[in-house]
C-alpha cells in the first residue's frame, strides 16, 4: 500500500501524540510542528500541549481532508477506493 | 451438543462466556482442552457428533493454516453435514471465515447472545435491534403539569400574553415558512414572492446560481456518492452493556459527506441520536438556500437537499435533531426539518435573542410560529438555555425556559427542558464548582423536576467549559458529565467531542469516538450506582429557585414578555447578555 | 463437464494467478466455462500481510458461483442469478452469468458436497469446464473434482528442495492405482464372506486404527476407508504385524483424502511403509494431477514488522520441481495458460 493510498483512507486528520523532553511548551510546539512538516505535512497545528517537569505531553494534528475538499475515501476521487 | 474448541489457551475466556450463555439457553456443551491438534479435535468431533463446533483462536500467519487444516479435515472426515463450524476471535470477519472454510465467523465485540442466536438459527440480536429498535420518544409519559403552582401560574400568564401579542404580528420569516411549506408540498422550488423576503446574498444564489462565499455545489458525481455512502456504511446498533441516557452527538462539519462519515462513526460508537449544526451566518441571513451545498467552515448548510441526503444516511432508529432555535430562519428551519423527517428540533426565544444575536421582538414572533410548526409536524423540541454561557444566571435562563415550555404546551407542542451542565461564568464567579462539578448540575435538574413534569435533556453539550484541549481530560469530563445525567435519570444527553476546546480546525471523527468511548466506559463503570451530592446542592437549588421566581415576577411587572427581554429580566447586560440586533424592525402588525 | 481445482500447499502460492491464466486461455479458446472458489477471492490486500493480491477478472458470458453479497459487491454485472440451497459464511451461494465484464469477488462452497452441487449447477448453464479456486492449503473439497492443478510456491517454504519433495509426494499420492469398489459409509473390513465396520468413516488416530487392526484376520481381505486418513493413522497402520498386512488391500476414497493433513511427504513415506509391510494401497477414484505451477514469490516479514514482496531464484525452483515430478511444471506468469489448456485437451482426448 502506498502512502497516498493509505492517506486516502483517513477520514479527516492525523494526530501525532507524544511526550517530548524539552524546556517549555513553546519549544514543544515548535518541535511537534517541525516533526509534522518533516513528515511532509504542511497543514499542521498543535491541538494540545501541556508542559510539566521534564517535558511536554503534546498532540499535533494535520488535516488530510478538510470539510468541503474532495475526499480520497469517497472513491474515484483521488485514487482511493473504498471496497 | 456443541463442541467448544479453544485453539489458543490465552484467549478462551470468550469461549467460556459463550459456554455459559449456551448452557443457560439449555444447550449441552463440551469444552475441549486447549492445544489439541486438528486431527485430535476432528476425532473427538466424530465421536461426539456435535451440531456445532465453535473454535476460538487469535490470528496470525500460521494460525490461518491450522484453522484451514481443521476445516479441511472436518470436510474430508465427512462431518461437515452434521456439524456447522464457527470461528471466533480477534480479526475474524465473515470473509476470513469463508476463506478458512468455516460456516460463520464472529469478530471481537460479539456478545455471547449473538452466538447463541446464530446457533439457534435466530437473527442476531443486534441486527434485530437495529431493525426493530424503535426511536425513543423522549417526551412519552410526561404530563407537562406544573407541580409548583405559583411558578406555573406566572409562566402560564406570561405565555398567554406572549401568544396573544405574537398572533397579532408577522415577520418575513413567518411568511417565508408558509411559502416554503407550500413549495415543499408541491415539490417545487420557491418563487419570487419568497425571494422578495430574502437577503441579497440568498436572492443572488437563487437567481444567478452562485452560492455564498466558502460554499460550493456538490458535483453530480459527488451527489451520487453521497447517496451510496449512506447505504454502504450500514451500521448496526451496538447493544449497550449498561443503561445510559439517550446519547446525542453534534455534527456539522460543513460538508454533507463528512457529516455522514462522522454520523456513521458516532452511531457505530454508541450514539443514539445526532444534532445538525448549521453555519452561524445562517442565523443572520434572511432566507434559506436550496441545492446540494458544502461549506468550508463549521456548520452544514440547511437546504432541503442536504437534509434529505443526511436523512437517507441515517439508520432508521437514529434520532435526528435539526436546530432552529436562534436566528432569522427559525420557523422555516422547523418546516424544512419536519418535512425532511427530523425527529426533534430546538427553539428558544430567550436564548436566541439574548445569546444568539436576534432581535427579541423578531424572535418572539418567529419563535411562536416555529413552535406551531413543530406541533404540526409532531416534532418535540428542546428549549436550550445556552445564554448561561454569556453569563446569564441559571435561574434567569430557567425562568424564560419555563415560559417557553408553557407556551409550547399551549400551542400543542412537546417541549424538552435543556439545562446546561457547564462551568458557566455565574458558577465561576460564585465559586459554585470550587469543590465539584456535581452539586450545581444536580441542583439545576432537581429544581426543574420540582417545578414541571417534563422531560429533561442536559446539554448541549454537557461539560461546557470544563474540558481542556487534552483529549483524555476532555473525554473523561464528558464521560462523567454524561453519567451524571444518567444518575439524574435525564431523558437524553448531548455530548461534545474531545476537540471541544480546540478551535484551530474542524472536529475530527476520532474526536467523536473518543468521548463516546469515554461515556460508555464511564457508564459501564458506574452501572446503576448512584452519586450523592453534598449539602451544597440544596443551597444551589434554593438559589436557582429564587432566581426563577424573581425573574418571573419581574417579567410579569414588565409591559410585555418581549420588553422584559429587552430590559434584561431574563439576562441583563450586567450579566453579559445583550439583546440581539439581527432582524430589528422587521416585525409587522397584521 | 470437467471440473478442475487449483489447489495450493499454502497461502500465496499462486492459485489465483493460475486460475486467471486458465480463465484467459479458456476464453481465448472459446470454451464455455464456469468459476467458483472454495475460499474468498476478491480482497485487494492480504488480510495479514497487507500486500496486494491478484483478483479475478471475468469476461462477459462466463458463469460464476459466489455468495449473494459478493455478487452485489462485485464490479461486474450479472444476469440470470439463481440461488442455490447452499449457505456460506457470506450468505447463500448463487449461480450467475456475467453480463458486463469486470472484477468479481468469488466466494463459493467450502465443502465437498456443496462443491459438487455447485459444479453441477455451473454445468447446467453450459460450462464445459468448471474451474475451482482453492484457499490457503485447503484441499478436501477437491475430492469431488476431475483434475487437479497444484500451485506450489516459495510462500510455503523458502527451501526449494522441500518444495520439490512435497510436489513429488503429492503427485505420487494422487497417482495411486485405482480399484473400482463401491465405498461404504464407514471404515469397513471385508474378508471371505465376512464384513465388519467401524463406528466412523475416517481413520483419524491410532485408537481408530487399533480397533481396526483387532478385527483383521490373516489372509486376503479389503479395508475400505471412505473418508479422511491422517498421518497419525497411517503411522499406526504401519505398526500392523506383517502377517496381518500381507494379502490385504487398503482402499482409500481418493488421493485427496491423504493430503488433508497438509503433510504430503510424511503421508507418502508412511504409504510406502504400508506397501513394504505387505499391504497393497489403492484409491477408489482417480483425481489426476494435471500440472504443477511454480511461484517464486513469498511475503517476507521484515525487521520493521511489515511484509514485503520477495522471491526465491525462479530458475532454481523450476528446475527442482521439474526434476521431482513427471507432470509439466509451468511458470504461469509466462505461459499465459495456453500450455495448461493443451493438457486439458489431452485429457479430453483420452
Amino acid at each position: 500500500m502506498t502512502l497516498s493510498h493509505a492517506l486516502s483512507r483517513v477520514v479527516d486528520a492525523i494526530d501525532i501524540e507524544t511526550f517530548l523532553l524539552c524546556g517549555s511548551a513553546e519549544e514543544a510546539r515548535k518541535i511537534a510542528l517541525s516533526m509534522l512538516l518533516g513528515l511532509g505535512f504542511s497543514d499542521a497545528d498543535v491541538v494540545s500541549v501541556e508542559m510539566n517537569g521534564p517535558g511536554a505531553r503534546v498532540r499535533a494534528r494535520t488535516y488530510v481532508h478538510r470539510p468541503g475538499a474532495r475526499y480520497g475515501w469517497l472513491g474515484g476521487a483521488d485514487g482511493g477506493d473504498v471496497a | 451438543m456443541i463442541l467448544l474448541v479453544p485453539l489458543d489457551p490465552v484467549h478462551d475466556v470468550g469461549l467460556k462466556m459463550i459456554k455459559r450463555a449456551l448452557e443457560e439457553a439449555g444447550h449441552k456443551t463440551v469444552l475441549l482442552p486447549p492445544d489439541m491438534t486438528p486431527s485430535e479435535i476432528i476425532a473427538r468431533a466424530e465421536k461426539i457428533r456435535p451440531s456445532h463446533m465453535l473454535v476460538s483462536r487469535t490470528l496470525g500467519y500460521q494460525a490461518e493454516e491450522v484453522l484451514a487444516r481443521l476445516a479441511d479435515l472436518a470436510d474430508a472426515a465427512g462431518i461437515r453435514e452434521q456439524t456447522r463450524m464457527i470461528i471466533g476471535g480477534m480479526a475474524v470477519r465473515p470473509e476470513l471465515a469463508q476463506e478458512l472454510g468455516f460456516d460463520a465467523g464472529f469478530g471481537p465485540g460479539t456478545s455471547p447472545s449473538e452466538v447463541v442466536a446464530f446457533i439457534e438459527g435466530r437473527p442476531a440480536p443486534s441486527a434485530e435491534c437495529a431493525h426493530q429498535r424503535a426511536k425513543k420518544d423522549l417526551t412519552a409519559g410526561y404530563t407537562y403539569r406544573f407541580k409548583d403552582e405559583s411558578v406555573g401560574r406566572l409562566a402560564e400568564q406570561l405565555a398567554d400574553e406572549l401568544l396573544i401579542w405574537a398572533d397579532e404580528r408577522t415577520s418575513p420569516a413567518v411568511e417565508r415558512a408558509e411559502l416554503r411549506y407550500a413549495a415543499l408540498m408541491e415539490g417545487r422550488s420557491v418563487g419570487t414572492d419568497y425571494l422578495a423576503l430574502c437577503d441579497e446574498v440568498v436572492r443572488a444564489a437563487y437567481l444567478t446560481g452562485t452560492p455564498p462565499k466558502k460554499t460550493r455545489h456538490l458535483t453530480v458525481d459527488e451527489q451520487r456518492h453521497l447517496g451510496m455512502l449512506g447505504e454502504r456504511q450500514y451500521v448496526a446498533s451496538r447493544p449497550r452493556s449498561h443503561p445510559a441516557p439517550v446519547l446525542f452527538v453534534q455534527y456539522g462539519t460543513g460538508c454533507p459527506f463528512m457529516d455522514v462519515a462522522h454520523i456513521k462513526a458516532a452511531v457505530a460508537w454508541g450514539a443514539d441520536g445526532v444534532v445538525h449544526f448549521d453555519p452561524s451566518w445562517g442565523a443572520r441571513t434572511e432566507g434559506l438556500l436550496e441545492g446540494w451545498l458544502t461549506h468550508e467552515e463549521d456548520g452544514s448548510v440547511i437546504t432541503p437537499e442536504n437534509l434529505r441526503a443526511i436523512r437517507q444516511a441515517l439508520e432508521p432508529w437514529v434520532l435526528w435533531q435539526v436546530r432552529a432555535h436562534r436566528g432569522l430562519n427559525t420557523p422555516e428551519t422547523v418546516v424544512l426539518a419536519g418535512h425532511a423527517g427530523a425527529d426533534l428540533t430546538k427553539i428558544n426565544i430567550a436564548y436566541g435573542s439574548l445569546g444568539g444575536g436576534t432581535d427579541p421582538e423578531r424572535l418572539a414572533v418567529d419563535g411562536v410560529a416555529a413552535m406551531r410548526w413543530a406541533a404540526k409536524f409532531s416534532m418535540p423540541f428542546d428549549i436550550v438555555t445556552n445564554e448561561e454561557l454569556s453569563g446569564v444566571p441559571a435561574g434567569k435562563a430557567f425562568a424564560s425556559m419555563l415560559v417557553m415550555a408553557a407556551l409550547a404546551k399551549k400551542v400543542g407542542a412537546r417541549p424538552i427542558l435543556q439545562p446546561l451542565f457547564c462551568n458557566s461564568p455565574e458558577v465561576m464567579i460564585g465559586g459554585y464548582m470550587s469543590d465539584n462539578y456535581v452539586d450545581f448540575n444536580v441542583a439545576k435538574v432537581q429544581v426543574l423536576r420540582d417545578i414541571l413534569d417534563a422531560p429533561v435533556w442536559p446539554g448541549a453539550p454537557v461539560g461546557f467549559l470544563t474540558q481542556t484541549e487534552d483529549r483524555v481530560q476532555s473525554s473523561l469530563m464528558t464521560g462523567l458529565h454524561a453519567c451524571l445525567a444518567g444518575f439524574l435519570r435525564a431523558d437524553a444527553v448531548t455530548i461534545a467531542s474531545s476537540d471541544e476546546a480546540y478551535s484551530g480546525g474542524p472536529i475530527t471523527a476520532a474526536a467523536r469516538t473518543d468521548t463516546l468511548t469515554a461515556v460508555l466506559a464511564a457508564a459501564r463503570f458506574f452501572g446503576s450506582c448512584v452519586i450523592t451530592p453534598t449539602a451544597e446542592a440544596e443551597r444551589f437549588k434554593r438559589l436557582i429557585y429564587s432566581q426563577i421566581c424573581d425573574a418571573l415576577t419581574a417579567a410579569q411587572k414588565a409591559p410585555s414578555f418581549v420588553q422584559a427581554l429587552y430590559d434584561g429580566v431574563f439576562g441583563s447586560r450586567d450579566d453579559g447578555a445583550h439583546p440581539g440586533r439581527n432582524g430589528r424592525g422587521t416585525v409587522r402588525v397584521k | 463437464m470437467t471440473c478442475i481445482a487449483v489447489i495450493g500447499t499454502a497461502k500465496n502460492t499462486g492459485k489465483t494467478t493460475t486460475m486467471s491464466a486458465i480463465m484467459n486461455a479458456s476464453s481465448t479458446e472459446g470454451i464455455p466455462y464456469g468459476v467458483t472458489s472454495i475460499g474468498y477471492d476478491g480482497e485487494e490486500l492480504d488480510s495479514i500481510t497487507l500486500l496486494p493480491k491478484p483478483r479475478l477478472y471475468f469476461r462477459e458470458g462466463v458463469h460464476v458461483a459466489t455468495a449473494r453479497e459478493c455478487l452485489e459487491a462485485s464490479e461486474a454485472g450479472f444476469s440470470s442469478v439463481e440461488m442455490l440451497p447452499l449457505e456460506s459464511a457470506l450468505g447463500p451461494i448463487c449461480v450467475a452469468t456475467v453480463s458486463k465484464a469486470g472484477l468479481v469477488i468469488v466466494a463459493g462452497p467450502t465443502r465437498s458436497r456443496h462443491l459438487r452441487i455447485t459444479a453441477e449447477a455451473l454445468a447446467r448453464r453450459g460450462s464445459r469446464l468448471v474451474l475451482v479456486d482453492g484457499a490457503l492449503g485447503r484441499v478436501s473439497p477437491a475430492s469431488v473434482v476431475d483434475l487437479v492443478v497444484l500451485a506450489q510456491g516459495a510462500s510455503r517454504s523458502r527451501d526449494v528442495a522441500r518444495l520439490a519433495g512435497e510436489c513429488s509426494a503429492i503427485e505420487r499420492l494422487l497417482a495411486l492405482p485405482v480399484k473400482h469398489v463401491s465405498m461404504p459409509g464407514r471404515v469397513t473390513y471385508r474378508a471371505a464372506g465376512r464384513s465388519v465396520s467401524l463406528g466412523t468413516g475416517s481413520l483419524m488416530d491410532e485408537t481408530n486404527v487399533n480397533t481396526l487392526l483387532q478385527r483383521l484376520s490373516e489372509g486376503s481381505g479389503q479395508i475400505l476407508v471412505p473418508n479422511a486418513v491422517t498421518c497419525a493413522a497411517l503411522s499406526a497402520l504401519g505398526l500392523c504385524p506383517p502377517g496381518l498386512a500381507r494379502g490385504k488391500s487398503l482402499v482409500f476414497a481418493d488421493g485427496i483424502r491423504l493430503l488433508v493433513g497438509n503433510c504430503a511427504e510424511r503421508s507418502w513415506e508412511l504409504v510406502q511403509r504400508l506397501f513394504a509391510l505387505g499391504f497393497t494401497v489403492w484409491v477408489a477414484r482417480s483425481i489426476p494431477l494435471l500440472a504443477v505451477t511454480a511461484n517464486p514469490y513469498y511475503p517476507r516479514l521484515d525487521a520493521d514488522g511489515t511484509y514485503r514482496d520477495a522471491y526465491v531464484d525462479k530458475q532454481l525452483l523450476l528446475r527442482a520441481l521439474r526434476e521431482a515430478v513427471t507432470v509439466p511444471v509451468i511458470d504461469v506468469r509466462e505461459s499465459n495458460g495456453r500450455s495448461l489448456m493443451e493438457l486439458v485437451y489431452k485429457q479430453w482426448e483420452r
Side-chain angles (χ1 to χ4, degrees):
Chain A
M1 187 180 255
T2 61
L3 179 64
S4 70
H5 201 106
L7 288 178
S8 74
R9 300 299 179 94
V10 174
V11 166
D12 35 37
I14 296 174
D15 286 3
I16 290 186
E17 297 190 33
T18 188
F19 191 94
L20 296 170
L21 290 175
C22 56
S24 71
E26 203 38 51
E27 189 189 352
R29 192 178 288 276
K30 281 185 186 142
I31 296 170
L33 289 175
S34 65
M35 193 184 292
L36 277 176
L37 290 173
L39 288 167
F41 298 112
S42 53
D43 185 356
D45 190 19
V46 172
V47 175
S48 66
V49 57
E50 185 178 349
M51 177 76 203
N52 281 309
R57 175 81 169 85
V58 63
R59 181 154 65 113
R61 171 175 296 177
T62 179
Y63 286 91
V64 177
H65 297 117
R66 280 181 178 267
R70 294 179 197 266
Y71 313 123
W73 42 264
L74 266 184
D78 292 325
D81 182 24
V82 182
Chain B
M1 175 68 69
I2 291 146
L3 187 62
L4 303 165
V5 186
L7 276 185
D8 181 343
V10 182
H11 293 95
D12 69 348
V13 180
L15 213 52
K16 285 177 179 158
M17 286 167 65
I18 290 166
K19 178 179 158 70
R20 200 179 79 180
L22 284 168
E23 284 168 356
E24 280 169 4
H27 297 278
K28 288 200 172 114
T29 63
V30 173
L31 178 65
L32 293 186
D35 294 334
M36 286 174 77
T37 64
S39 55
E40 286 167 337
I41 293 163
I42 299 303
R44 286 294 293 276
E46 279 199 297
K47 289 195 188 84
I48 297 173
R49 302 180 142 266
S51 62
H52 295 80
M53 184 191 296
L54 257 70
V55 183
S56 83
R57 172 76 202 210
T58 48
L59 290 166
Y61 203 70
Q62 293 305 315
E64 278 193 23
E65 295 290 343
V66 174
L67 290 162
R69 196 175 319 148
L70 187 68
D72 222 24
L73 265 174
D75 183 56
I79 65 166
R80 290 297 294 275
E81 299 306 323
Q82 78 210 24
T83 305
R84 299 191 77 186
M85 295 184 72
I86 304 164
I87 170 82
M90 299 298 286
V92 173
R93 292 165 296 119
E95 291 81 2
L96 185 69
Q98 165 75 18
E99 176 78 355
L100 294 171
F102 282 67
D103 293 302
F106 289 102
T110 305
S111 69
S113 59
E114 280 173 73
V115 178
V116 174
F118 178 84
I119 282 171
E120 293 174 352
R122 290 184 285 113
S126 67
E128 206 170 49
C129 233
H131 291 300
Q132 294 181 0
R133 182 168 170 176
K135 276 184 194 175
K136 196 172 172 202
D137 176 3
L138 301 179
T139 63
Y142 289 99
T143 61
Y144 294 104
R145 187 179 62 81
F146 275 99
K147 294 190 231 171
D148 185 314
E149 287 177 11
S150 63
V151 170
R153 209 161 31 240
L154 286 168
E156 304 251 10
Q157 271 176 23
L158 287 163
D160 280 331
E161 287 165 22
L162 176 55
L163 204 52
I164 293 163
W165 176 88
D167 280 349
E168 293 167 348
R169 287 162 174 83
T170 185
S171 79
V174 172
E175 289 164 27
R176 278 201 310 273
E178 300 283 350
L179 296 171
R180 175 65 70 183
Y181 181 70
L184 286 171
M185 294 317 279
E186 290 162 27
R188 58 169 170 82
S189 181
V190 288
T192 49
D193 45 357
Y194 177 93
L195 297 185
L197 298 165
C198 295
D199 278 350
E200 186 49 39
V201 61
V202 173
R203 201 156 39 233
Y206 277 91
L207 297 176
T208 66
T210 333
K213 263 184 248 168
K214 304 220 170 180
T215 66
R216 68 171 174 87
H217 290 287
L218 293 180
T219 63
V220 173
D221 216 35
E222 283 177 328
Q223 292 169 24
R224 195 174 54 83
H225 271 115
L226 187 53
M228 282 160 47
L229 192 63
E231 290 165 21
R232 191 162 51 189
Q233 301 184 333
Y234 184 81
V235 177
S237 83
R238 185 197 259 186
R240 289 272 169 76
S241 61
H242 284 73
V246 172
L247 204 52
F248 281 86
V249 298
Q250 303 164 329
Y251 71 86
T253 60
C255 173
F257 284 117
M258 193 61 95
D259 284 343
V260 170
H262 279 214
I263 289 169
K264 294 280 176 179
V267 168
W269 255 255
D272 301 297
V274 293
V275 183
H276 185 102
F277 263 52
D278 54 322
S280 52
W281 49 259
R284 299 190 299 267
T285 312
E286 298 270 12
L288 291 172
L289 300 163
E290 287 182 7
W292 311 73
L293 282 180
T294 176
H295 180 222
E296 281 171 25
E297 288 177 355
D298 266 5
S300 296
V301 184
I302 289 181
T303 70
E305 290 75 10
N306 279 1
L307 290 184
R308 202 156 51 228
I310 284 165
R311 165 82 279 173
Q312 276 169 7
L314 292 175
E315 269 59 50
W317 47 268
V318 174
L319 286 163
W320 185 34
Q321 182 180 40
V322 178
R323 309 186 308 167
H325 58 307
R326 69 202 194 287
L328 297 179
N329 298 299
T330 300
E332 190 184 350
T333 303
V334 175
V335 168
L336 278 178
H339 187 262
D343 303 292
L344 297 149
T345 182
K346 187 185 274 285
I347 307 168
N348 185 356
I349 295 169
Y351 162 61
S353 47
L354 296 177
T358 308
D359 172 55
E361 181 191 32
R362 166 66 184 267
L363 197 57
V365 174
D366 289 4
V368 171
M371 286 185 196
R372 291 195 188 278
W373 281 111
K376 185 178 167 74
F377 285 107
S378 297
M379 192 165 46
F381 59 86
D382 74 63
I383 307 168
V384 59
T385 47
N386 280 24
E387 63 265 41
E388 265 195 70
L389 297 176
S390 323
V392 174
K396 287 191 188 178
F398 285 4
S400 57
M401 170 164 61
L402 290 166
V403 178
M404 291 300 113
L407 181 63
K409 193 176 129 189
K410 289 183 192 300
V411 300
R414 287 174 293 153
I416 302 168
L417 306 180
Q418 190 158 80
L420 272 176
F421 276 6
C422 68
N423 189 11
S424 65
E426 178 202 17
V427 167
M428 286 189 225
I429 295 163
Y432 304 151
M433 288 185 173
S434 54
D435 178 72
N436 62 68
Y437 288 144
V438 174
D439 292 337
F440 197 74
N441 290 327
V442 167
K444 280 178 163 180
V445 171
Q446 288 183 348
V447 163
L448 291 172
R449 283 264 166 75
D450 288 348
I451 294 174
L452 183 65
D453 180 33
V456 176
W457 175 0
V462 284
F464 242 122
L465 301 174
T466 67
Q467 293 119 329
T468 69
E469 288 167 342
D470 181 274
R471 71 186 187 95
V472 176
Q473 193 276 355
S474 182
S475 304
L476 183 59
M477 276 299 159
T478 296
L480 293 173
H481 276 92
C483 283
L484 181 59
F487 297 137
L488 293 166
R489 305 210 170 282
D491 299 278
V493 64
T494 302
I495 61 161
S497 74
S498 64
D499 275 346
E500 178 66 21
Y502 170 65
S503 54
I507 290 169
T508 63
R512 311 251 177 220
T513 67
D514 275 354
T515 48
L516 283 160
T517 301
V519 170
L520 296 194
R524 174 70 189 86
F525 179 83
F526 288 114
S528 47
C529 292
V530 287
I531 197 165
T532 313
T534 74
E536 285 290 276
E538 278 303 321
R539 183 169 77 86
F540 295 143
K541 269 175 74 174
R542 287 194 298 275
L543 170 76
I544 298 168
Y545 184 74
S546 66
Q547 286 172 347
I548 293 172
C549 294
D550 291 351
L552 289 175
T553 310
Q556 211 201 10
K557 288 178 186 152
S560 68
F561 179 81
V562 171
Q563 195 56 47
L565 285 172
Y566 283 119
D567 294 346
V569 169
F570 299 109
S572 66
R573 285 179 173 79
D574 288 345
D575 293 327
H578 297 271
R581 306 169 64 91
N582 295 322
R584 184 160 294 179
T586 52
V587 169
R588 230 170 16 90
V589 176
K590 283 190 211 171
Chain C
M1 179 265 286
T2 302
C3 188
I4 304 179
V6 179
I7 61 172
T9 53
K11 204 177 157 104
N12 294 317
T13 50
K15 292 180 289 284
T16 307
T17 309
T18 303
M19 280 292 287
S20 284
I22 307 178
M23 286 168 69
N24 279 334
S26 306
S27 290
T28 311
E29 303 275 313
I31 299 167
Y33 66 98
V35 176
T36 192
S37 165
I38 62 165
Y40 182 82
D41 278 315
E43 269 168 321
E44 254 181 284
L45 302 177
D46 185 287
S47 57
I48 302 286
T49 65
L50 300 180
L51 295 172
K53 289 184 75 163
R55 299 166 79 183
L56 293 176
Y57 182 85
F58 281 64
R59 302 192 197 188
E60 204 180 310
V62 177
H63 310 299
V64 64
T66 186
R68 188 171 56 189
E69 72 175 57
C70 297
L71 277 185
E72 286 158 8
S74 291
E75 169 192 301
F78 304 94
S79 63
S80 323
V81 179
E82 167 201 352
M83 209 196 293
L84 301 179
L86 308 174
E87 278 289 331
S88 78
L90 296 171
I93 294 165
C94 295
V95 176
T97 303
V98 174
S99 57
K100 182 181 140 255
L103 294 170
V104 179
I105 301 170
V106 188
T110 57
R111 45 179 137 144
S112 307
R113 189 178 67 88
H114 288 185
L115 179 58
R116 184 183 292 123
I117 295 168
T118 305
E120 284 162 2
L122 288 168
R124 276 199 303 277
R125 298 234 160 176
S127 303
R128 211 174 148 208
L129 269 184
V130 169
L131 307 174
V132 182
D133 197 1
L136 302 162
R138 287 168 47 215
V139 295
S140 176
S143 276
V144 302
V145 308
D146 304 302
L147 294 167
V148 160
V149 175
L150 175 68
Q152 178 65 302
S155 168
R156 170 73 162 157
S157 165
R158 257 59 83 208
D159 180 349
V160 170
R162 204 194 134 200
L163 297 179
E166 183 172 49
C167 282
S168 165
I170 291 171
E171 181 182 33
R172 286 158 198 266
L173 288 167
L174 289 175
L176 283 169
V178 177
K179 188 186 257 299
H180 294 286
V181 291
S182 75
M183 269 289 168
R186 293 176 172 182
V187 175
T188 300
Y189 171 55
R190 284 184 191 144
R194 194 164 83 80
S195 175
V196 286
S197 293
L198 298 190
T200 74
S202 309
L203 294 176
M204 296 306 300
D205 55 21
E206 57 176 54
T207 332
N208 287 155
V209 173
N210 290 340
T211 317
L212 173 70
L213 293 182
Q214 280 161 19
R215 314 244 163 118
L216 298 186
S217 48
E218 290 204 2
S220 64
Q222 263 186 353
I223 301 163
L224 306 172
V225 184
N227 292 335
V229 193
T230 63
C231 283
L234 289 174
S235 176
L237 275 171
L239 299 174
C240 173
L244 275 182
R246 222 166 295 133
K248 302 283 190 306
S249 298
L250 246 175
V251 189
F252 299 114
D254 52 59
I256 293 288
R257 312 288 171 127
L258 293 161
L259 297 178
V260 288
N262 208 4
C263 49
E265 279 179 280
R266 173 104 177 107
S267 296
W268 175 240
E269 195 185 300
L270 292 166
V271 166
Q272 281 177 290
R273 193 189 296 171
L274 297 180
F275 274 115
L277 271 177
F279 283 113
T280 47
V281 183
W282 309 82
V283 289
R285 196 171 90 85
S286 156
I287 304 172
L289 179 65
L290 193 65
V292 173
T293 62
N295 187 2
Y297 165 84
Y298 66 98
R300 187 185 62 213
L301 182 60
D302 286 348
D304 62 358
T306 45
Y307 285 91
R308 291 196 174 79
D309 294 342
Y311 301 87
V312 298
D313 186 311
K314 186 169 81 177
Q315 293 311 324
L316 207 67
L317 175 65
L318 283 169
R319 201 178 320 130
L321 295 186
R322 282 178 178 141
E323 280 168 14
V325 297
T326 62
V327 296
V329 176
I330 295 164
D331 175 355
V332 192
R333 277 166 209 259
E334 282 178 15
S335 79
N336 211 14
R338 187 164 304 138
S339 44
L340 278 165
M341 282 315 294
E342 278 159 17
L343 295 168
V344 174
Y345 287 138
K346 275 190 201 155
Q347 284 290 327
W348 280 344
E349 279 163 23
R350 270 180 211 169

